[in-house]
Amino acid sequence: MNLSKRSFFALACSGALALSLVAGCVPASPAAKAQDEAQAANRAYMSSVNETMSDLDKGLEEFVTAVSRNDVVTMQTQAERAYKAIDKLKETDAPEALADIKNDYVEGATKLQEALSDYIALYTEMQAAQSTGSFDFSTFGTRVAGVQQKYDEGVAALKKADEAAAALQ
């Protein structure tokens, strides 16, 4: 059988194409399938975290706006919105590979929740003191510093979680 160069090339190309089609039909190995499933679970979890953190961020932005207007009712409403996002974050199941990252997110969000609660309590007491004239100003600086410390710890834990998540990609 005498094949020309063109026929040989066409035969080689069709053989390569057939091999690639057959290779595409071969089921993935169990290890590859498990890895794909783990990556999909990680992506789904991180997507949920991103959505939750976006809700938390919106609540915090509105909280700051309420603070600037001295609107304690809206502060409490927006704090509740943030608390719901934090609860959702706590309840979301993380894949095993992301358990430490979840713990950092939960720790950070919990610290922010504590800071919000402490700030609202302090603000409410100060507002009430305007009518009663009984506010303990000797502890004011310490209480504000405590709110700031919890806030800073929360932000640091969230940053740590974000960095760890980014390192996985």
Side-chain angles (χ1 to χ4, degrees):
M1 178 158 123
N2 189 359
L3 293 174
S4 68
K5 288 183 183 178
R6 183 177 291 169
S7 298
F8 180 73
F9 182 71
L11 185 61
C13 286
S14 63
L17 179 61
L19 282 175
S20 68
L21 289 174
V22 170
C25 294
V26 174
S29 70
K33 186 176 179 182
Q35 183 179 6
D36 288 346
E37 288 173 357
Q39 288 174 347
N42 290 351
R43 283 191 299 274
Y45 175 74
M46 290 309 299
S47 176
S48 176
V49 167
N50 287 335
E51 180 181 315
T52 302
M53 295 308 287
S54 178
D55 291 345
L56 176 60
D57 188 49
K58 288 175 187 171
L60 293 175
E61 285 177 18
E62 292 296 322
F63 180 86
V64 170
T65 301
V67 168
S68 70
R69 292 185 311 219
N70 296 320
D71 182 356
V72 73
V73 172
T74 303
M75 278 186 234
Q76 290 172 329
T77 300
Q78 294 309 316
E80 287 298 321
R81 179 180 181 181
Y83 300 161
K84 287 178 184 175
I86 292 166
D87 289 342
K88 182 179 175 186
L89 182 67
K90 290 176 182 178
E91 294 168 2
T92 303
D93 290 329
E96 188 177 324
L98 301 179
D100 290 340
I101 291 172
K102 178 185 178 178
N103 290 339
D104 289 338
Y105 277 121
V106 169
E107 177 187 342
T110 300
K111 288 292 184 181
L112 290 179
Q113 183 175 12
E114 292 170 5
L116 287 174
S117 295
D118 291 352
Y119 183 86
I120 291 171
L122 178 60
Y123 189 88
T124 304
E125 286 177 37
M126 287 182 62
Q127 225 179 17
Q130 289 177 355
S131 61
T132 64
S134 62
F135 182 78
D136 184 7
F137 283 99
S138 67
T139 63
F140 178 77
T142 304
R143 290 177 69 187
V144 168
V147 169
Q148 185 65 51
Q149 180 180 356
K150 287 177 184 176
Y151 175 82
D152 292 343
E153 289 172 356
V155 169
L158 293 175
K159 183 178 178 183
K160 179 181 173 187
D162 283 344
E163 290 170 353
L168 288 178
Q169 295 183 14

